[in-house]
Short mmCIF file of all heavy atoms in Angstrom, two decimals:
data_model
loop_
_atom_site.label_atom_id
_atom_site.label_comp_id
_atom_site.label_asym_id
_atom_site.label_seq_id
_atom_site.Cartn_x
_atom_site.Cartn_y
_atom_site.Cartn_z
N LEU A 372 100.07 85.59 127.92
CA LEU A 372 99.44 85.78 129.25
C LEU A 372 98.21 86.55 129.15
O LEU A 372 97.23 86.37 129.95
CB LEU A 372 100.51 86.42 130.29
CG LEU A 372 101.75 85.59 130.65
CD1 LEU A 372 102.58 86.37 131.65
CD2 LEU A 372 101.37 84.21 131.14
N ALA A 373 98.18 87.58 128.13
CA ALA A 373 97.06 88.42 128.04
C ALA A 373 96.14 88.02 126.95
O ALA A 373 95.04 88.51 126.88
CB ALA A 373 97.52 89.93 127.89
N ASN A 400 106.29 86.54 137.17
CA ASN A 400 104.99 87.04 136.90
C ASN A 400 104.32 87.34 138.28
O ASN A 400 104.18 86.52 139.15
CB ASN A 400 104.19 85.88 136.25
CG ASN A 400 102.74 86.23 135.87
OD1 ASN A 400 102.27 87.42 136.11
ND2 ASN A 400 101.98 85.33 135.40
N ASP A 401 103.88 88.69 138.41
CA ASP A 401 103.24 89.11 139.63
C ASP A 401 101.72 88.96 139.61
O ASP A 401 101.05 89.30 140.60
CB ASP A 401 103.65 90.62 139.99
CG ASP A 401 103.16 91.50 138.90
OD1 ASP A 401 102.25 91.17 138.04
OD2 ASP A 401 103.58 92.73 138.94
N GLY A 402 101.18 88.45 138.53
CA GLY A 402 99.76 88.10 138.51
C GLY A 402 98.87 89.25 138.14
O GLY A 402 97.73 89.13 138.01
N THR A 403 99.47 90.51 137.86
CA THR A 403 98.64 91.58 137.48
C THR A 403 98.32 91.61 136.05
O THR A 403 99.08 91.04 135.26
CB THR A 403 99.37 92.84 137.92
OG1 THR A 403 100.62 92.96 137.05
CG2 THR A 403 99.78 92.82 139.38
N ALA A 404 97.32 92.32 135.60
CA ALA A 404 96.93 92.51 134.18
C ALA A 404 98.07 93.31 133.52
O ALA A 404 98.28 92.98 132.31
CB ALA A 404 95.62 93.15 134.14
N SER A 405 98.62 94.20 134.14
CA SER A 405 99.65 94.98 133.47
C SER A 405 100.83 94.25 133.17
O SER A 405 101.46 94.35 132.04
CB SER A 405 100.07 96.33 134.28
OG SER A 405 100.60 95.86 135.54
N PHE A 406 101.30 93.34 134.02
CA PHE A 406 102.48 92.36 133.80
C PHE A 406 102.07 91.49 132.61
O PHE A 406 102.85 91.31 131.69
CB PHE A 406 102.78 91.58 134.92
CG PHE A 406 103.92 90.68 134.71
CD1 PHE A 406 105.27 91.13 135.08
CD2 PHE A 406 103.87 89.53 134.14
CE1 PHE A 406 106.39 90.36 134.86
CE2 PHE A 406 105.00 88.79 133.93
CZ PHE A 406 106.25 89.18 134.28
N ALA A 407 100.81 90.96 132.54
CA ALA A 407 100.45 90.01 131.61
C ALA A 407 100.58 90.78 130.20
O ALA A 407 101.00 90.02 129.19
CB ALA A 407 99.04 89.49 131.84
N LYS A 408 100.10 91.99 130.01
CA LYS A 408 100.11 92.72 128.82
C LYS A 408 101.64 92.98 128.55
O LYS A 408 101.96 92.94 127.36
CB LYS A 408 99.35 93.98 128.92
CG LYS A 408 97.76 93.67 129.10
CD LYS A 408 97.00 94.98 129.34
CE LYS A 408 95.73 94.73 129.58
NZ LYS A 408 94.90 96.03 129.96
N ASP A 409 102.39 93.45 129.34
CA ASP A 409 103.80 93.68 129.14
C ASP A 409 104.58 92.46 128.71
O ASP A 409 105.57 92.54 127.94
CB ASP A 409 104.51 94.21 130.40
CG ASP A 409 104.09 95.63 130.76
OD1 ASP A 409 103.52 96.23 130.02
OD2 ASP A 409 104.58 96.02 131.96
N ALA A 410 104.08 91.25 129.02
CA ALA A 410 104.80 90.05 128.64
C ALA A 410 104.09 89.28 127.56
O ALA A 410 104.47 88.13 127.27
CB ALA A 410 104.84 89.17 129.91
N THR A 411 103.18 90.00 126.80
CA THR A 411 102.49 89.33 125.69
C THR A 411 102.81 90.01 124.37
O THR A 411 102.95 91.33 124.35
CB THR A 411 100.90 89.37 125.91
OG1 THR A 411 100.63 88.66 127.09
CG2 THR A 411 100.28 88.77 124.75
N TYR A 428 101.91 93.73 122.93
CA TYR A 428 100.49 93.59 123.08
C TYR A 428 99.79 94.95 123.45
O TYR A 428 98.78 95.28 123.00
CB TYR A 428 100.09 92.50 124.00
CG TYR A 428 98.61 92.35 124.12
CD1 TYR A 428 97.93 91.57 123.23
CD2 TYR A 428 97.85 92.87 125.24
CE1 TYR A 428 96.47 91.33 123.36
CE2 TYR A 428 96.52 92.72 125.45
CZ TYR A 428 95.90 91.98 124.43
OH TYR A 428 94.54 91.78 124.52
N ASN A 429 100.45 95.69 124.40
CA ASN A 429 99.81 96.88 124.93
C ASN A 429 100.49 98.19 124.31
O ASN A 429 99.99 99.24 124.64
CB ASN A 429 99.93 96.93 126.48
CG ASN A 429 101.31 96.70 127.01
OD1 ASN A 429 102.18 96.31 126.35
ND2 ASN A 429 101.42 96.96 128.31
#
Side-chain angles (χ1 to χ4, degrees):
L372 298 181
N400 183 2
D401 64 9
T403 64
S405 60
F406 184 95
K408 294 174 183 178
D409 286 351
T411 298
Y428 181 81
N429 54 349

